[in-house]
Amino acid sequence: MRKVFLILWMAAWSSELVAQEPKPERELENFVILTDQDFYLSGDRLWFGAKLLKNHESYRYSKLAYLTLLDHQGKEVHSEKMLLSGQDMVFGDIFLPDNASTGVYSLLLYTKWMSSYRDFPIARRDFLVVNSRAPQAPGQPKLWMQKTPFEKLPVALFHTSSEPELIEVQDLQGMTLEVLERVPPFEKFLINVDHSQRYQVIFRNEVFQASPSPWLWDPSDFSIQSQQESVSGHKVLVHTDWEILEELKPVGGRVELDRTRYQGFSYFDITSLDPEGNVSWSYRVNNPAHLQGNWSINSKARVGEPLKLDFTGFPVTVQNGFVLAKSLEQSLISDWIASLNDPNWEEMGSGKKSSKLPESLRNLVLETPILKDYSPMFSYKPYSIDGPSLFPGSFQPKDYSFSLPLSILETKVNRKMYQEHFGLEEEVMELESPFVADKIYYLEDYDEFPDFESFVRQIIPQVKLKKSKGSSDKQILLANTDNEQVRFNKIPVVLVDFYRVEDLAEIWSLDMVSLDRVEVYYHRETVQKTNLGEEVGDGLIVIYTKNNEYALKKNIPKSRYFLSDVQVPRKPDYGKNLTANVTANPLQFLDPGFAFLRGRARINALVFDTAGDWRVESWIFGNGNFHRFEKNISIGH
């Protein structure tokens, strides 16, 4: 009997080993960034969201997102640190300066851990900003070319001049191969060239050399074929920005990939390294295959009518997602911005080197990668990162000129004037906790209580009030559930709108009408996930006012802000009283971080306040991949 049991135990143990996922050689991570628009006017509000994707499940790594907004000359416009949510997400808004000059701006996001490697390819999102009241910033029109490692296919280009241009294609001896007259700006055009020969493109009397691709990609059989005489010592890496997927050696100048391995990715990169380890070629494969699962939403609705989004049939590895409902951009702008953010498009003649993950991983800054990024406390010295010197490939400026068609600019200006002249402002925002509390109590459900103290005594069982000896002051004790018996012997940190309470008398005098909710953190595991350090080891109670007005009304100094070095995510109130006013706001709805349960999720509160044509985007995230779904819908009166 003992032998049978031993055999069964060993069989179960061995099958468990087989079922385990192989541990990655390096634990990597990076952000995926989304913005509510591709094109803004100076003074506009920019909404953004980001998800930290990683190839590991460890909590040892990043808790802070370092954000930098650059103008077209690479100068810093805005920077801050934001605390990641329990879902490794971050979101918020930035007001673009009223005097912002016209150009291509960039939003960069990175973590402290990424500074472990020199020039790590941090996440970057480019978009347009136009100041319609100021002269256009100086800069030169540029020519862009798409990497096309396909045999016998034309090459795509576009330019950013303010007027149609004459473009000529020549061989290296100056013989004309093709002439294109009056090529309009921003629109992609094709040239027919011999992919095995070098050639040159003449744009605005400037000559740009173009070389044939050293590798050819064949999507039909998922392989690349070398065009070089010898690839001895070369190796090919397949990767994303946050994961090395495979390392291969060419056989007979050819590398074949397993198609089934990459069907779950929206895209992946193929990078060839020479014998010295330098990048000799790279290409991003945009995978047409979508993640298993479906989402549904009605294509038509009316103003004020709630829409339902249903997500079904997704794999259990899917964890959460973002949903954005926003105004449709003119396709000319959207196509151009998509090209600017695509690594397969490169500015001709720039000579700028973009950062590549395989090359960056060879340049470890310290002896071992940074393992922890605690949230900053008053006794904690914030870790400062010199982004431009650590990530030079990502902090490159987009210093060139462009001129948008007047019809596109007028539409944007008219929308903004409509908002300003009729006094239509953004909805009130509320603070959203960056953590997941054990219990949340909404005050609107308990409006019968005359004061906050009686509410706490009778409604919150995790809290007990105790009078101090020789005084009428009341002490708050929090439940200790670390053992089987519940004891009230923990003294929690108490905050109002994330401002530290110096004396508990402050909270007993709070007006019940002004309060929104109370969050209670008392389980040991929950407190540890907040990563706020030893100071909140006994738990945390956070009281929120409705309009985040506590500090303003009490004239509280910034030094009392508990998360002094980071910003708590801000949530737009797009789900409550939208039918009362017409805001004409380009961002109609934002749900940052809805959760999946067994491959299903539902959103019931998508409401539009303005008639017109809009786009709904959903970004679905697993731990190490993501997929984007979108649908255009029509909203009537």
Side-chain angles (χ1 to χ4, degrees):
M1 185 68 183
R2 183 178 297 178
K3 290 182 178 179
V4 174
F5 173 77
L6 184 61
I7 292 173
L8 291 175
W9 178 82
M10 291 183 66
W13 181 72
S14 61
S15 64
E16 184 179 346
L17 287 180
V18 173
Q20 287 179 350
E21 289 290 331
K23 185 179 179 181
E25 183 178 347
R26 302 186 196 221
E27 296 187 356
L28 306 176
E29 60 187 36
N30 214 328
F31 284 103
V32 172
I33 306 176
L34 52 149
T35 58
D36 67 316
Q37 299 292 316
D38 294 325
F39 166 36
Y40 302 88
L41 296 176
S42 56
D44 277 355
R45 170 181 278 179
L46 177 153
W47 281 99
F48 67 90
K51 165 73 172 178
L52 183 66
L53 292 179
K54 51 193 179 182
N55 68 349
H56 59 88
E57 298 286 351
S58 173
Y59 278 101
R60 294 182 299 158
Y61 285 171
S62 307
K63 295 293 180 183
L64 293 175
Y66 293 73
L67 179 148
T68 301
L69 177 65
L70 302 178
D71 68 8
H72 63 103
Q73 295 179 328
K75 296 179 181 178
E76 184 180 295
V77 176
H78 175 81
S79 67
E80 63 179 283
K81 301 182 186 76
M82 299 186 73
L83 197 61
L84 289 169
S85 71
Q87 298 171 317
D88 289 322
M89 291 182 174
V90 66
F91 71 96
D93 63 330
I94 302 171
F95 278 101
L96 300 170
D98 286 328
N99 61 349
S101 56
T102 299
V104 177
Y105 284 52
S106 302
L107 183 64
L108 287 79
L109 270 174
Y110 49 95
T111 63
K112 171 183 170 182
W113 172 87
M114 295 177 196
S115 64
S116 298
Y117 296 96
R118 180 72 61 183
D119 208 14
F120 193 88
I122 61 176
R124 173 171 177 156
R125 165 79 177 169
D126 293 334
F127 53 89
L128 302 186
V129 175
V130 173
N131 190 333
S132 59
R133 302 181 299 273
Q136 184 172 311
Q140 290 296 322
K142 298 295 183 181
L143 182 67
W144 289 76
M145 172 181 286
Q146 188 178 24
K147 299 177 187 175
T148 53
F150 305 103
E151 193 171 11
K152 298 179 181 178
L153 280 182
V155 176
L157 299 96
F158 74 85
H159 67 85
T160 62
S161 177
S162 59
E163 56 189 23
E165 295 287 348
L166 174 71
I167 296 176
E168 184 178 358
V169 184
Q170 298 178 346
D171 61 18
L172 294 186
Q173 287 71 42
M175 183 70 69
T176 299
L177 302 176
E178 191 173 359
V179 176
L180 297 98
E181 298 181 352
R182 298 192 59 77
V183 178
F186 313 132
E187 295 185 15
K188 299 173 187 177
F189 60 93
L190 303 176
I191 59 173
N192 293 297
V193 295
D194 183 353
H195 286 263
S196 64
Q197 302 295 325
R198 299 185 64 182
Y199 58 93
Q200 54 192 20
V201 180
I202 301 176
F203 170 71
R204 294 175 66 91
N205 296 322
E206 191 171 357
V207 179
F208 300 100
Q209 300 282 341
S211 301
S213 175
W215 293 82
L216 293 179
W217 164 248
D218 187 349
S220 63
D221 63 357
F222 254 52
S223 68
I224 59 173
Q225 179 68 47
S226 174
Q227 297 296 98
Q228 305 166 84
E229 294 182 359
S230 173
V231 289
S232 176
H234 286 244
K235 62 180 178 180
V236 173
L237 272 73
V238 187
H239 60 95
T240 63
D241 288 332
W242 55 87
E243 185 172 9
I244 300 293
L245 302 171
E246 200 170 7
E247 182 177 324
L248 302 165
K249 290 185 179 180
V251 178
R254 179 182 173 87
V255 174
E256 294 186 4
L257 305 182
D258 182 2
R259 185 190 300 269
T260 59
R261 184 169 185 172
Y262 302 102
Q263 288 179 342
F265 293 91
S266 294
Y267 66 81
F268 57 89
D269 294 307
I270 305 175
T271 300
S272 172
L273 302 178
D274 63 20
E276 287 73 36
N278 299 314
V279 173
S280 59
W281 174 80
S282 66
Y283 181 69
R284 172 158 294 182
V285 179
N286 292 300
N287 215 352
H290 280 297
L291 190 67
Q292 174 190 352
N294 298 292
W295 76 305
S296 62
I297 180 176
N298 290 339
S299 58
K300 292 184 179 180
R302 295 183 179 275
V303 170
E305 177 184 333
L307 285 172
K308 293 183 179 180
L309 278 79
D310 284 311
F311 300 87
T312 58
F314 287 89
V316 294
T317 54
V318 169
Q319 300 169 338
N320 41 52
F322 272 101
V323 166
L324 280 170
K326 61 186 185 181
S327 61
L328 279 170
E329 295 281 16
Q330 218 272 355
S331 59
L332 183 70
I333 300 295
S334 299
D335 291 345
W336 181 27
I337 295 302
S339 299
L340 288 182
N341 287 287
D342 189 339
N344 289 338
W345 284 88
E346 55 187 14
E347 181 184 333
M348 297 196 72
S350 66
K352 295 177 181 177
K353 178 182 176 296
S354 59
S355 180
K356 301 295 181 186
L357 180 64
E359 206 168 26
S360 172
L361 295 181
R362 297 187 308 143
N363 302 319
L364 187 63
V365 176
L366 304 173
E367 291 185 3
T368 56
I370 297 169
L371 294 181
K372 195 88 173 181
D373 194 0
Y374 280 108
S375 303
M377 308 295 289
F378 292 105
S379 60
Y380 173 77
K381 295 180 180 179
Y383 186 94
S384 60
I385 298 178
D386 183 4
S389 63
L390 281 172
F391 313 112
S394 300
F395 274 77
Q396 297 168 356
K398 300 281 188 179
D399 195 11
Y400 53 81
S401 66
F402 62 86
S403 180
L404 296 180
L406 190 60
S407 58
I408 295 178
L409 191 57
E410 282 182 344
T411 302
K412 201 82 169 181
V413 172
N414 288 340
R415 175 187 288 276
K416 187 169 185 178
M417 290 180 62
Y418 178 74
Q419 284 184 279
E420 292 175 347
H421 285 271
F422 287 92
L424 303 173
E425 299 180 354
E426 311 277 351
E427 296 293 329
V428 174
M429 295 180 301
E430 65 180 21
L431 282 175
E432 183 181 58
S433 173
F435 316 115
V436 179
D438 289 312
K439 294 293 291 185
I440 303 178
Y441 298 92
Y442 291 92
L443 273 296
E444 63 181 10
D445 299 331
Y446 305 97
D447 54 4
E448 68 271 19
F449 288 94
D451 55 69
F452 188 64
E453 181 183 342
S454 60
F455 165 77
V456 172
R457 283 184 182 277
Q458 299 184 45
I459 298 301
I460 306 181
Q462 298 84 12
V463 169
K464 181 176 288 188
L465 302 185
K466 179 182 178 182
K467 285 188 177 181
S468 301
K469 292 183 179 180
S471 172
S472 61
D473 295 339
K474 305 171 189 68
Q475 186 179 24
I476 292 181
L477 298 177
L478 197 58
N480 185 343
T481 60
D482 297 344
N483 301 313
E484 293 183 0
Q485 294 182 346
V486 178
R487 296 181 179 180
F488 289 86
N489 57 3
K490 288 186 175 183
I491 301 177
V493 172
V494 180
L495 308 174
V496 180
D497 287 346
F498 279 99
Y499 283 86
R500 181 185 293 272
V501 173
E502 290 185 336
D503 190 333
L504 289 180
E506 291 185 38
I507 68 169
W508 306 133
S509 62
L510 289 171
D511 183 5
M512 288 287 288
V513 178
S514 68
L515 299 183
D516 179 62
R517 67 191 188 278
V518 178
E519 293 185 356
V520 183
Y521 303 78
Y522 62 95
H523 281 307
R524 178 190 296 174
E525 294 81 5
T526 307
V527 173
Q528 288 176 348
K529 285 183 180 180
T530 64
N531 200 30
L532 289 170
E534 296 180 0
E535 192 166 1
V536 295
D538 277 351
L540 184 69
I541 297 175
V542 188
I543 305 162
Y544 294 89
T545 62
K546 290 180 180 176
N547 296 325
N548 309 316
E549 59 189 12
Y550 179 70
L552 182 64
K553 286 188 173 182
K554 302 290 184 180
N555 195 26
I556 296 176
K558 290 184 178 180
S559 59
R560 282 178 59 182
Y561 189 58
F562 190 66
L563 302 174
S564 59
D565 199 44
V566 301
Q567 173 185 300
V568 177
R570 291 157 290 178
K571 186 176 183 179
D573 188 13
Y574 288 116
K576 294 185 179 178
N577 302 315
L578 293 179
T579 55
N581 300 307
V582 177
T583 65
N585 190 353
L587 175 64
Q588 286 283 305
F589 182 86
L590 169 64
D591 190 335
F594 64 92
F596 278 80
L597 178 62
R598 297 177 182 175
R600 299 175 62 93
R602 171 173 289 186
I603 297 175
N604 294 317
L606 202 164
V607 181
F608 288 81
D609 64 14
T610 309
D613 294 324
W614 304 90
R615 172 171 292 163
V616 179
E617 294 182 2
S618 59
W619 299 67
I620 311 300
F621 300 105
N623 190 52
N625 58 15
F626 76 96
H627 284 265
R628 175 189 177 193
F629 302 87
E630 63 181 20
K631 186 174 183 178
N632 296 340
I633 64 175
S634 177
I635 304 298
H637 291 287

